[in-house]
Amino acid sequence: MSATAAPSSPHVMNTYGRLPIALSHGQGCRVWDTNGRAYLDGLGGIAVNTLGHNHPELVPALQDQIAKLIHSSNYYHVPGQEQLATKLTELSGLTNAFFCSTGLEANEAALKLARKFGHDKGIERPEIVVYEAAFHGRSIATLSATGNPKVQAGFGPLVEGFIRVPLNDIDALKKATEGNPNVVAVFFETIQGEGGIHPMRWEYLRQVRQLCDERDWLMMIDEVQCGMGRTGKWFAHQWAGILPDVMPLAKGLGSGVPIGAVVAGPRAANIFGPGNHGTTFGGNPLAMRAGIETIRIMEEQKLLENAASVGSHLKAALERELGGLAGVKEIRGQGLMLGIELDRPCGVILGRACDAGLLLSVTADSVIRLVPPLILSIAEADEIVAILAPIVKAFLAEPQP
């Protein structure tokens, strides 16, 4: 590709609506494209690049690991697995972890855990409660658990065994499961990401925990996007003071290196035995080193505190500039996971922001999503608002079709 050529991928399957740029390199919260243009990264690889780009401690640690051993096999012990599992159980209050490579795989493993939990209790056709607007992945099983008809279209028949309920309505959950002996688990995101940055209320989470205890269900919390410090705590459900039984993780856990995990508590940690589940790439030495170093750096640089304080500043600034504006329905989220919901589809803002030097995403058709690296500074948060607010105002001033 020449220095000024428009990027293209004619031999790559056309599965993404890509913007006409290709990124070359990054530093901190900024990235540059192959034509040399700089962008402020408000997307973080979709909540993945926890430490930003070219972090001065992460990069040499990964280089060191690459020179030693990238991949082995789960036929053998991988010391980094025990080291990272120990740390994750310490941070979560749970007991054991299984490692894979993606959030989809972590969620798939959680669904398998729930089904086997049911079968071990003699339930022939286990059922799992899931939620409207949820997103858990694009495999057939996780797609079936997802609450978006658009991404499900064309892939039926979907997997059976899911009961769908609305968010934050404990009476609806009780009514949907009343008298059903096949229910084995409740599965949800603490803050829905792809569904539009919709948070579960803390009181509702405590009510679901109580219901799961009363009815011997697994409480399975998908923290793939909202976990790993993004809200100002290690895991978003911790704001409610509860413990799940199963917690899938991925995205920010490796700060860009593909990694997923399922962390489980005593009720679920021993459901799988040898041969029940597995992975080729999951838990390899490079991914484990990435997870270990990411958490170490997060702790040393107090990135949970930074996510909370800078996120609060960013949200307040967005509310000052856009709150109450006709066409802005709500600004919501926590820490550095924020959504601006408009009253109309706003996909064009993705390209307009990119043209203005800001990377972000639009999800659920009408929600502008900001999930920047957790190293974001106050000055960079102000820069996001300075770029984004005029774009949103100009968009809302346009005549609606």
Side-chain angles (χ1 to χ4, degrees):
M1 186 185 301
S2 71
T4 58
S8 64
S9 305
H11 295 93
V12 177
M13 284 191 183
N14 186 26
T15 56
Y16 304 101
R18 300 183 196 268
L19 294 172
I21 64 170
L23 299 181
S24 166
H25 62 283
Q27 184 65 51
C29 288
R30 297 189 190 274
V31 291
W32 284 261
D33 68 20
T34 51
N35 291 322
R37 186 170 180 213
Y39 304 83
L40 181 57
D41 189 358
L43 185 60
I46 315 180
V48 168
N49 296 103
T50 300
L51 304 178
H53 306 276
N54 194 30
H55 192 282
E57 293 185 45
L58 180 65
V59 170
L62 296 182
Q63 290 171 329
D64 173 74
Q65 186 60 51
I66 287 170
K68 292 176 177 175
L69 190 64
I70 296 173
H71 179 79
S72 57
S73 164
N74 284 303
Y75 282 143
Y76 322 112
H77 288 277
V78 179
Q81 288 188 17
E82 180 59 25
Q83 189 177 347
L84 183 55
T86 298
K87 192 62 183 179
L88 288 173
T89 57
E90 171 192 313
L91 297 175
S92 66
L94 303 178
T95 60
N96 295 80
F98 168 84
F99 294 107
C100 50
S101 301
T102 66
L104 178 155
E105 291 174 81
N107 285 334
E108 189 90 16
L111 297 176
K112 286 183 66 175
L113 276 171
R115 285 201 170 185
K116 192 167 189 301
F117 175 73
H119 281 282
D120 289 348
K121 294 200 299 179
I123 299 172
E124 185 177 347
R125 303 178 76 84
E127 295 183 74
I128 300 166
V129 176
V130 291
Y131 284 77
E132 295 173 0
F135 184 88
H136 297 294
R138 296 180 186 272
S139 68
I140 293 298
T142 56
L143 189 70
S144 302
T146 288
N148 186 340
K150 287 186 178 180
V151 300
Q152 293 172 333
F155 299 104
L158 299 177
V159 174
E160 64 175 20
F162 294 104
I163 301 168
R164 198 169 304 283
V165 299
L167 275 68
N168 294 316
D169 187 339
I170 195 66
D171 290 332
L173 172 56
K174 291 178 179 178
K175 183 177 179 181
T177 57
E178 186 176 1
N180 186 342
N182 295 324
V183 177
V184 294
V186 181
F187 186 38
F188 58 88
E189 303 151 274
T190 317
I191 304 175
Q192 292 183 336
E194 298 296 325
I197 316 297
H198 293 290
M200 295 285 194
R201 293 197 302 267
W202 306 146
E203 179 56 30
Y204 178 76
L205 292 178
R206 290 188 279 266
Q207 291 171 331
V208 175
R209 177 69 271 179
Q210 182 179 348
L211 193 63
C212 288
D213 291 339
E214 291 171 356
R215 301 190 181 182
D216 193 27
W217 298 342
L218 295 179
M219 187 183 203
M220 307 199 305
I221 304 184
D222 176 350
E223 291 267 354
V224 167
Q225 188 166 150
C226 58
M228 292 312 301
R230 184 143 295 276
T231 67
K233 288 191 181 289
W234 284 105
F235 313 108
H237 68 264
Q238 290 177 328
W239 291 100
I242 60 167
L243 282 177
D245 298 301
V246 179
M247 180 178 66
L249 300 172
K251 287 192 179 287
L253 178 55
S255 201
V257 175
I259 179 173
V262 181
V263 191
R267 296 177 69 213
N270 297 308
I271 291 173
F272 284 159
N276 288 149
H277 199 55
T279 169
T280 296
F281 292 103
N284 73 34
L286 178 61
M288 296 300 94
R289 184 72 180 270
I292 292 163
E293 298 292 343
T294 294
I295 292 174
R296 177 186 65 79
I297 294 166
M298 289 176 70
E299 289 182 321
E300 290 178 358
Q301 298 188 359
K302 301 186 183 306
L303 292 189
L304 270 67
E305 293 89 336
N306 192 69
S309 61
V310 177
S312 178
H313 176 89
L314 176 57
K315 187 178 181 184
L318 289 168
E319 288 171 340
R320 279 196 307 271
E321 287 292 325
L322 300 173
L325 192 67
V328 176
K329 294 179 67 174
E330 188 178 16
I331 298 170
R332 58 179 176 260
Q334 190 165 5
L336 288 173
M337 184 175 183
L338 301 176
I340 306 164
E341 183 175 5
L342 305 185
D343 66 354
R344 66 203 70 171
C346 60
V348 296
I349 285 179
L350 182 68
R352 294 180 187 182
C354 183
D355 290 342
L358 173 64
L359 303 185
L360 46 72
S361 74
V362 171
T363 190
D365 293 330
S366 60
V367 180
I368 301 164
R369 173 174 53 175
L370 294 168
V371 281
L374 301 192
I375 61 170
L376 191 79
S377 68
I378 292 287
E380 288 164 336
D382 289 340
E383 188 178 349
I384 287 175
V385 177
I387 297 172
L388 181 57
I391 293 172
V392 174
K393 290 175 182 177
F395 170 74
L396 292 174
E398 296 170 2
Q400 292 193 57

